[in-house]
Amino acid sequence: MTIKRYGTGQSGAGKQALPFARAVEADGWLYVSGQVAMENGEIVGGGIIAETRRAMDNVIAILKEAGYGLEHVVRVGVWLDDPRDFWSFNGVFAEYFGANPPARACVQSSMMVDCKVEIDCVAYKAR
């Protein structure tokens, strides 16, 4: 089995080095680390809708870098800072996955950075 890591040596908020890979691929499985609405090391503003779009775009960029797409996503994990954002988040999420939604877990949690949402996923593509 070969393991490939994507995005090691990246920096996060405050330009601190991140001690993990953005994604790890093993035997057709791709595990994407949690993504927040970060752009150039800073969280974008604009509320839950803007943050969800930016976090999803970050997920998509990592998938694309590894040769995967949303059609390969089998599971998504979501953390929301405020449960009142659930329906707004859900509306944006549906725009990305449409008629082919993955399995998903969504929970409320305090965040480690000042954001409203974090999204991770697992994708699979037969080799």
Side-chain angles (χ1 to χ4, degrees):
M1 172 172 67
T2 59
I3 296 175
K4 184 172 182 180
R5 289 168 172 71
Y6 296 88
T8 58
Q10 300 287 316
S11 61
K15 306 293 185 205
Q16 290 185 344
L18 299 177
F20 54 87
R22 289 187 356 217
V24 175
E25 182 179 17
D27 285 343
W29 291 95
L30 184 72
Y31 299 86
V32 178
S33 293
Q35 298 298 303
V36 296
M38 191 169 288
E39 188 173 345
N40 300 321
E42 299 296 329
I43 300 295
V44 300
I48 188 62
I49 291 173
E51 285 198 30
T52 300
R53 289 188 198 290
R54 180 74 252 170
M56 283 299 303
D57 290 346
N58 291 345
V59 167
I60 291 167
I62 295 167
L63 289 167
K64 184 176 179 182
E65 177 185 349
Y68 292 73
L70 287 177
E71 69 275 15
H72 299 112
V73 175
V74 295
R75 185 194 182 282
V76 173
V78 177
W79 294 264
L80 293 175
D81 184 57
D82 187 337
R84 295 172 293 187
D85 288 334
F86 179 74
W87 294 110
S88 297
F89 163 80
N90 237 18
V92 175
F93 186 86
E95 291 174 16
Y96 283 89
F97 288 102
N100 299 305
R104 186 183 88 186
C106 183
V107 298
Q108 183 216 354
S109 177
S110 297
M111 301 296 184
M112 299 308 294
V113 296
D114 188 19
C115 66
K116 295 184 174 296
V117 62
E118 183 168 349
I119 304 168
D120 75 359
C121 72
V122 177
Y124 177 77
K125 186 166 75 169
R127 296 287 179 211

